[in-house]
Amino acid sequence: MPTAVRAGGGHGACDGSWAMRDVAVIVVDDDKEFLLEVREGLALENLPVVCASSPLSALDIVEQNFAIRVLVTDLAMPDLDGLELIRRVGELRQGPQILPIILTGNASLENSVAALRMGAVDFLQKPVEIANLVAAIRRALDLSVQKRRAATLFDDPLSLLRLLDGLRMDRKRVLPRIAGGDAAWEMLLDLAMAQAAGRQVSVSALCAGVGTSTTTALRRLEALEQEGLVERHPDPEDRRRVWLQLTHKGGASVRQAGRRFAETLRALI
């Protein structure tokens, strides 16, 4: 699996060489090491951001910079938590509203529902992969330009399933039953998110990222193949490497799970 960015903030730590007035994204976290890694990763993707290591400094930045359209924030922070920050940012901005993206290492259904009510458009589980953060920010910027706020998260099955991945709840209410159970679903979701980010995933990489023995991981992968959810493609340039890809049925299963979870959340909001 790709290297994940470890959780990490400092006011101005990510503004790079861009003029503040041109920055459309603010990232808020009390871990300065994380913010520095975010700056480096997003700079490679030509995404200028400004960072704040505390919610209070973030409020000052937002108040002074009308160009900001997306707020990426951790939930657990001193002084103010992420939910209170989102609420205050909403009160500050009288014009075009700022779309929140949530970072969390310990999501709860209560906090997630509260964030959705405040207009959150994505949830990313820590440690977060830069590719997933980049994709989430680009989606939010597109939504901001289109001036679409209502139920945007519900239109993105992968974002919903990323949220489900971090919640402590009974997944049997949401996930269709497949051979291999929840553990196989984790592999399927990892593959779906990698494909959505434009990354190829090999058999060895997928098996190495599930936190179990290779034998067990291969057995779960075989169950997914037997269900017709994934398929292997040998690498023509390296006979030792085999790529994985979702089948049409696999993609449909992911979308179905996203729709089921959306129904569960809509009933709570």
Side-chain angles (χ1 to χ4, degrees), residues 175-188 220 223-224:
L175 298 178
R177 294 182 62 182
I178 61 172
D182 281 1
W185 255 108
E186 298 294 339
M187 298 178 75
L188 191 69
R220 290 171 182 161
L224 293 175

Side-chain angles (χ1 to χ4, degrees), residues 66-122:
F66 196 72
I68 291 176
R69 292 288 180 269
V70 177
L71 164 67
V72 181
T73 180
D74 191 13
L75 283 183
M77 294 182 291
D79 300 325
L80 297 176
D81 65 19
L83 293 178
E84 180 65 12
L85 173 61
I86 293 171
R87 186 185 70 78
R88 293 202 188 183
V89 165
E91 291 176 348
L92 280 176
R93 183 60 62 87
Q94 298 300 314
Q97 296 200 353
I98 295 175
L99 303 183
I101 295 172
I102 304 299
L103 299 175
T104 180
N106 190 21
S108 71
L109 186 58
E110 180 182 6
N111 282 344
S112 300
V113 169
L116 285 169
R117 287 172 176 161
M118 295 178 186
V121 296
D122 214 333

Side-chain angles (χ1 to χ4, degrees), residues 207-227:
C207 291
V210 298
T212 188
S213 70
T214 301
T215 301
T216 301
L218 286 172
R219 191 159 54 241
R220 290 171 182 161
L221 179 56
E222 289 170 1
L224 293 175
E225 289 182 281
Q226 291 170 4
E227 289 268 325

Side-chain angles (χ1 to χ4, degrees), residues 2 7 21 33 40 61 68 76 84 93 96-97 101-102 109 157 170-172 194 201 236:
R21 65 180 179 275
E33 190 175 324
E40 294 172 359
I61 294 170
I68 291 176
E84 180 65 12
R93 183 60 62 87
Q97 296 200 353
I101 295 172
I102 304 299
L109 186 58
D170 183 6
R171 297 185 177 199
K172 294 182 177 63
V201 178

Side-chain angles (χ1 to χ4, degrees), residues 9-18 20 26-27 35-36 39 49-54 57-58 61:
H11 183 175
C14 298
D15 57 0
S17 60
W18 295 286
M20 183 80 79
I26 182 169
V27 181
L35 290 185
L36 289 173
R39 176 186 61 80
V49 302
V50 61
C51 296
S53 61
S54 77
S57 60
I61 294 170

Side-chain angles (χ1 to χ4, degrees), residues 4 6 11 19 23 31 48 63 66 77 122 148 166 229 239 258-259 268:
R6 294 185 303 277
H11 183 175
V23 175
D31 184 338
E63 189 171 20
F66 196 72
M77 294 182 291
D122 214 333
R148 291 174 53 203
L229 302 174
R239 297 175 58 184
R259 286 192 295 269
L268 298 171

